[in-house]
Amino acid sequence: MPARVHALLVVRPDGRTPAAFHLRRTLAALDEQARPVDALTVVVCGGDDHLREIVAASSATSVITAPASTGYAAAAALAFDGADDGADARWLLAQDTAPEPDALSQLLGALELSPSVAFVAPKLVRWDDRADIVSLGVSMTRFGRSIGLADGELDQGQHDAHEDVLGADVRGILIRAEAWASLGGLDTGLAGADEGLDLGVRARLAGARVSLVPGARVAVAGDGVAGVPIPLTPQRRRRAVYAVRVAQLHRRLVYAPAFAVPLHWLTLLPLALWRTVVDLVRKQPGRIPSEWAAAAVAVVAVASVWRARRRLARTKGGSDRDRTGSWAQIAPLRTTRAELRERLDDDPEVALGGARRPDLRFFSGGGAWLVLAALAASVAAFPALLAWPVLGGGALQPLATTVGQLWNDAAYGQRILGLDTVGPADPFAAVVAGIGSLSPWAPSRALVLLWIVALPLAALGGWFAATRVTERSELRLLGGAVWALSPTLLVALTQGRPAGVVLHLLLPWLFFAGSVAHRSWAGAGAASILLAGVLACAPSLAPALAVVWFGMIVLAIVVRSGRGVTRVIWLLVPSLVLAVPLVWNALANARVWGLLADPGVPWAGPQVAADAAGRALLAAGIPTSDLAGWATLLPDGPTWWVPLLSVPLALLALLAPLTQRWAVGVVLLVVTALGLGTAFAAVGISVAFSQSVSVPLWPGTALSLAWLGALGGALVSLDAGLAPRVAFVRGVAAALVLAGAVTLAIPSLTAFTRGDATIANGPASTLPAFVAAEGRESPDVGTIVLTPQSEAGVAAQIVWGGSETLGGQTTLQSTRTHVTPQDEQVAALAADLVTPSADDVVAELARQGIGFILLATAPAPETDAARTMRLSATTALSQRDTLVVVGDTAKGELWRVVDDVAARPGESASETATARWIAFAQLAVFAVALLLAVPTVATRRAARRTPRIVGPHWQEGR
């Protein structure tokens, strides 16, 4: 047995660590060793007088004071390098490494029995629970990633037979003095991580072995003095990630052949960029700053790499050539990809009896049948849509003819409406572009298909949203069916309100992902994208959703002690990035209230009256004054009972806060109140204009939010509060809710076959076919559209390209409250065109790039004033020699400018640069959100260990 053992104890207090407590226990454990150490050197890095008093009162033979920034490797060098202390072995300890009484004797015995072993390592166990293994041997992958062979496992003796390893945790190792001298000690370039692994690699390359002694146990607290700290706080987590990554990059540069070192060095920053993407996919964005910091340190740490390579070369080129090892001999000790995958796929929590969420039961629970039934109902309700290429009517218009134009309409730049309107696109244009891109050969067809599958998609979304509040299959079916039969969705489908339809389809998925956003980055990433889509479809919901978002932050702080706050904050980032250009433009042009306008085609349509009766209908979830179509279906019959159909749903929602899951019930009731409050505030308020008609906000989008909250609350009551052990009572209540929803839906589902629906087989273009053909060849073709108004006068609009499009609509035009110079110029052009005395107006049109004049038909029924204006305008236009009559078309009378038409003025250099920067920022943020949203094996594994439903819940056997 070695004659002398010299122990090193490094003390470096952390402001948040009970260093004094750990130090006392470690010193006491050293004093209790069955085989005492022969010398003890304590290196105090920083510290205070109290710690120095503890060290002074100990059995230490020498005390060294060092700066607080001194790392463990540097402290070991201060104590051992160049020292002639006569020791045969050196024991590496820290303030938080308390060995058991027989630890040193077992380590010494193993070292004596194996002369080929350079150092031996104990079994590291948790400070407060010695049944948990902290570390027992370390290996690495082909690319240098360190892998703990038994980290975090329950100690059942399963690894006690293992001896030979590639390396070990540096804490508690006992190394021969001659091995320490020949290997050159610890590498100071490793930033405090993988020091024992690197020492083991160098020992192996020198022909020696590294052995484990599982019987020798050392308790460690993870203060971070030696090895990486236990990541109990975000700061420690970042520090650990940084240290491990610096060590990996340093070892890669040190171990690589000489010719490969420059190549590795050149790839450090590109690799950091790639790992940034990987961290986002893995839902670990908190690692990104540490990754870049480690890469930056590795780039500049050339000197430490050079010193480490020289040390490694001396190790491999020692005098005992027969004992020198090689990388080929080390290869069997590395962790293979298959072994790593097996370790990552292991689910210890479930294996040890942890909870696993039950199966989703989408097929066995009837969810698939519900979707198929909704598809059949949709085809029966809208049979002709299967043959329509384009949807029209209401707020519908064709989409751009190419995918490129779809996304161009969604970007900052020139708009297709207005004389020379340059500015940000409405966020809804991006939603339209995404829908149209699903059918790139015919984008407008995608909108038709959306109308056909809207009901099954709503049923699917409602079913999945219900999985967050109940595990009962029958209640999930109820949630999917009632959500699909919501009056707001059916009215939006029959009236032709695309923003309302898309919003209703997105809301349940926002609830599904957003309700668990605090748990995981996958949920936060998906919810952030969905929230951006919801706000793009219904900006008027921004105040209500902002209240919900703020409430989530408060709950995360109060209930979860701040865990998940960063994820909740992220929810709003994509929405802000998408909306900031439009908000900035609105502030600059004093049209702040216009930000609340419904996006898309400004269309008033049927509205609920802004009176007590109208608000009573809104409280019942009905967005139209015709009682969701019952007033039309029964023109002479009693309809007072129609609003009462929503009473069962409302009563159950009100009961939710009284159940055992009262917290979830309260939240859902607040969501319902926010939706209803928004609908009450929106009805009758107009912030947009269509020609000479004001367009009020549509309250249906707010009612969709209220319907979501009420339906969720009703499901909570049925699941947890309404006679939970009396299935009959639950069944009756659920049947009443379903019957009310089905009855409310009958007029809307039959409106198309009865001819009462607003939607129609829309035209491929809002302009005459001649102009549409020209516009397909050149999107810069300009047309001024003159529309006689019912109360005299004419409305003028300039359209670029072959048609107005749904994605090309802009609230920059429809919500302006002040006359701009462009408005005055367009008004002057229109007045001159319909006035016979003006002579040079056509030449001015040609200079502006406008080649066509369309005198559109007046809104039906045509009044005498509108007819007089149309005839007067026709006479004035027909008398101009510089115009050619194209003919009378279905869209109105069309003239063409004879003079050479100038090209449309392009964007300025500054506008182009602004567009690029905005596009880059938006694409970058949404790329990050998408990477966060993509599920991975790790996120699915973590999800299996958490309940699917949210909030404390009561459940019984299914």
Side-chain angles (χ1 to χ4, degrees):
M1 184 177 294
R4 286 179 59 83
V5 175
H6 188 169
L8 166 69
L9 182 63
V10 180
V11 180
R12 186 177 66 243
D14 188 337
R16 304 185 67 176
T17 300
F21 170 75
H22 292 164
L23 179 59
R24 287 195 187 95
R25 178 173 169 180
T26 299
L27 290 171
L30 285 173
D31 292 338
E32 296 170 0
Q33 289 298 299
R35 196 290 188 190
V37 298
D38 298 289
L40 172 61
T41 296
V42 179
V43 179
V44 181
C45 305
D48 52 24
D49 294 339
H50 182 55
L51 286 176
R52 294 188 182 95
E53 291 175 0
I54 296 175
V55 172
S58 69
S59 58
T61 55
S62 63
V63 178
I64 301 174
T65 302
S69 60
T70 305
Y72 190 80
L78 288 174
F80 291 149
D81 288 2
D84 187 12
D85 51 12
D88 297 289
R90 289 166 177 170
W91 198 14
L92 305 184
L93 301 170
Q95 71 189 28
D96 63 330
T97 52
E100 291 191 348
D102 62 343
L104 180 56
S105 61
Q106 294 207 35
L107 291 172
L108 280 170
L111 204 60
E112 181 185 37
L113 293 175
S114 303
S116 62
V117 172
F119 66 85
V120 291
K123 178 189 292 183
L124 302 184
V125 296
R126 274 180 51 185
W127 185 270
D128 55 352
D129 187 355
R130 302 197 177 194
D132 288 347
I133 301 175
V134 173
S135 180
L136 185 61
V138 180
S139 181
M140 67 179 180
T141 64
R142 178 184 176 187
F143 297 102
R145 175 183 175 185
S146 59
I147 302 294
L149 299 179
D151 295 5
E153 295 188 18
L154 181 66
D155 187 6
Q156 298 174 321
Q158 68 271 34
H159 298 290
D160 287 359
H162 296 172
E163 291 186 357
D164 273 1
V165 291
L166 182 58
D169 194 300
V170 74
R171 292 170 288 185
I173 67 173
L174 184 68
I175 184 170
R176 299 182 190 274
E178 64 269 20
W180 177 270
S182 63
L183 295 177
L186 303 178
D187 189 346
T188 57
L190 292 171
D194 298 344
E195 292 164 324
L197 172 62
D198 174 72
L199 192 65
V201 169
R202 286 187 278 131
R204 288 280 179 180
L205 291 175
R209 294 170 48 227
V210 177
S211 181
L212 297 176
V213 185
R217 298 200 301 176
V218 176
V220 296
D223 290 356
V225 179
V228 296
I230 295 179
L232 299 176
T233 64
Q235 181 181 4
R236 282 190 165 195
R237 191 176 300 114
R238 290 190 295 269
R239 176 181 163 192
V241 171
Y242 166 79
V244 170
R245 185 57 179 162
V246 167
Q248 182 180 356
L249 295 177
H250 179 80
R251 288 187 289 105
R252 182 175 299 172
L253 293 171
V254 172
Y255 299 163
F259 72 89
V261 173
L263 299 178
H264 281 303
W265 186 85
L266 290 173
T267 60
L268 288 175
L269 295 181
L271 188 60
L273 179 61
W274 166 249
R275 287 179 65 89
T276 296
V277 177
V278 172
D279 287 336
L280 290 174
V281 173
R282 290 177 176 172
K283 317 301 177 287
Q284 297 173 324
R287 298 172 59 95
I288 294 175
S290 299
E291 295 277 4
W292 282 97
V297 168
V299 167
V300 300
V302 178
S304 63
V305 172
W306 180 74
R307 288 193 298 267
R309 289 185 64 85
R310 286 189 61 191
R311 185 187 301 113
L312 184 66
R314 289 196 302 267
T315 299
K316 296 182 65 177
S319 59
D320 191 356
R321 304 289 296 180
D322 295 335
R323 295 182 64 243
T324 300
S326 66
W327 289 108
Q329 293 173 330
I330 288 178
L333 296 173
R334 286 177 168 172
T335 301
T336 64
R337 180 177 297 181
E339 292 171 340
L340 180 60
R341 186 183 304 113
E342 182 179 355
R343 290 181 60 84
L344 294 176
D345 289 342
D346 190 22
D347 198 344
E349 189 166 331
V350 174
L352 295 174
R356 182 190 293 269
R357 66 168 57 178
D359 293 334
L360 190 63
R361 304 193 309 276
F362 177 69
F363 292 96
S364 61
W369 289 108
L370 173 66
V371 175
L372 289 175
L375 178 61
S378 179
V379 173
F382 307 105
L385 266 65
L386 297 172
W388 288 359
V390 183
L391 271 179
L396 289 164
Q397 277 184 347
L399 273 59
T401 56
T402 65
V403 174
Q405 186 59 45
L406 279 172
W407 289 104
N408 187 61
D409 289 342
Y412 184 99
Q414 288 183 318
R415 314 264 51 96
I416 68 170
L417 300 178
L419 184 61
D420 188 22
T421 305
V422 179
D426 293 340
F428 182 64
V431 177
V432 173
I435 295 172
S437 299
L438 299 177
S439 177
W441 56 91
S444 293
R445 175 78 68 174
L447 200 60
V448 180
L449 294 177
L450 176 65
W451 239 249
I452 296 174
V453 300
L455 284 178
L457 287 180
L460 180 67
W463 190 91
F464 269 93
T467 63
R468 292 299 187 202
V469 294
T470 180
E471 290 285 357
R472 302 181 189 276
S473 297
E474 63 274 16
L475 294 185
R476 292 176 177 178
L477 292 175
L478 176 66
V482 174
W483 182 255
L485 296 174
S486 167
T488 53
L489 173 63
L490 297 178
V491 168
L493 288 172
T494 56
Q495 289 187 357
R497 296 184 182 272
V501 171
V502 177
L503 170 95
H504 197 85
L505 298 181
L506 292 180
L507 271 179
W509 293 107
L510 177 60
F511 175 76
F512 179 80
S515 58
V516 294
H518 60 283
R519 294 181 184 173
S520 69
W521 277 107
S528 67
I529 297 175
L530 292 166
L531 178 61
V534 165
L535 292 176
C537 295
S540 58
L541 289 183
L545 293 178
V547 173
V548 176
W549 175 77
F550 183 75
M552 292 176 65
I553 292 180
V554 173
L555 288 176
I557 294 174
V558 174
V559 178
R560 295 173 54 86
S561 302
R563 289 180 294 121
V565 171
T566 305
R567 301 187 186 103
V568 177
I569 292 175
W570 168 261
L571 294 181
L572 211 58
V573 173
S575 301
L576 290 176
V577 171
L578 197 62
V580 158
L582 195 66
V583 173
W584 183 269
N585 183 278
L587 293 174
N589 293 279
R591 56 174 196 88
V592 177
W593 290 108
L595 294 171
L596 300 176
D598 296 324
V601 180
W603 179 66
Q607 292 285 340
V608 173
D611 54 16
R615 286 182 169 82
L617 291 178
L618 294 178
I622 300 175
T624 57
S625 56
D626 65 348
L627 299 174
W630 274 106
T632 305
L633 191 63
L634 299 175
D636 299 323
T639 55
W640 56 266
W641 49 271
V642 174
L644 300 180
L645 296 173
S646 301
V647 170
L649 181 68
L651 291 178
L652 288 173
L654 292 173
L655 286 175
L658 305 179
T659 66
Q660 298 181 31
R661 294 175 58 195
W662 59 269
V664 178
V666 168
V667 171
L668 291 170
L669 195 60
V670 169
V671 171
T672 305
L674 289 172
L676 289 177
T678 303
F680 291 165
V683 64
I685 296 179
S686 299
V687 294
F689 305 89
S690 175
Q691 297 180 4
S692 60
V693 178
S694 63
V695 179
L697 296 175
W698 190 55
T701 52
L703 289 185
S704 289
L705 180 64
W707 194 265
L708 177 69
L711 179 57
L715 293 180
V716 168
S717 294
L718 291 171
D719 182 61
L722 187 60
R725 301 195 178 277
V726 182
F728 174 76
V729 177
R730 183 187 302 114
V732 171
L736 290 175
V737 172
L738 182 61
V742 171
T743 306
L744 271 176
I746 289 176
S748 297
L749 291 176
T750 59
F752 189 84
T753 56
R754 292 185 288 107
D756 288 336
T758 307
I759 58 172
N761 187 2
S765 172
T766 61
L767 299 176
F770 188 85
V771 180
E774 291 275 348
R776 281 192 295 269
E777 299 296 329
S778 174
D780 289 337
V781 171
T783 304
I784 182 169
V785 181
L786 306 174
T787 307
Q789 299 299 289
S790 300
E791 298 180 0
V794 62
Q797 176 68 284
I798 295 176
V799 181
W800 298 96
S803 173
E804 290 188 56
T805 61
L806 183 61
Q809 296 293 324
T810 173
T811 53
L812 299 180
Q813 289 282 330
S814 61
T815 63
R816 62 194 188 282
T817 56
H818 302 285
V819 177
T820 65
Q822 286 192 32
D823 293 330
E824 294 177 350
Q825 190 174 0
V826 172
L829 290 174
D832 289 344
L833 285 172
V834 298
T835 303
S837 59
D839 296 328
D840 60 348
V841 62
V842 177
E844 179 62 22
L845 287 178
R847 284 193 296 270
Q848 296 291 341
I850 300 171
F852 294 94
I853 303 169
L854 175 65
L855 183 61
T857 56
E862 187 179 37
T863 64
D864 292 340
R867 184 182 302 107
T868 301
M869 175 55 68
R870 177 172 56 83
L871 295 175
S872 174
T874 301
T875 302
L877 292 169
S878 300
Q879 291 176 352
R880 299 186 182 278
D881 297 335
T882 51
L883 294 178
V884 174
V885 178
V886 178
D888 193 4
T889 70
K891 307 296 189 303
E893 297 181 70
L894 181 66
W895 287 264
R896 182 176 186 178
V897 176
V898 176
D899 297 339
D900 291 336
V901 179
R904 183 185 184 184
E907 299 175 5
S908 64
S910 61
E911 291 170 343
T912 302
T914 300
R916 289 175 179 173
W917 279 109
I918 291 175
F920 174 78
Q922 293 176 343
L923 289 175
V925 169
F926 274 88
V928 170
L930 187 61
L931 289 174
L932 290 174
V934 174
T936 63
V937 174
T939 58
R940 289 194 294 268
R941 187 188 307 117
R944 289 196 298 268
R945 296 194 293 266
T946 57
R948 180 175 288 108
I949 63 178
V950 293
H953 60 282
W954 169 93
Q955 52 184 349
E956 59 177 336
R958 250 72 65 189

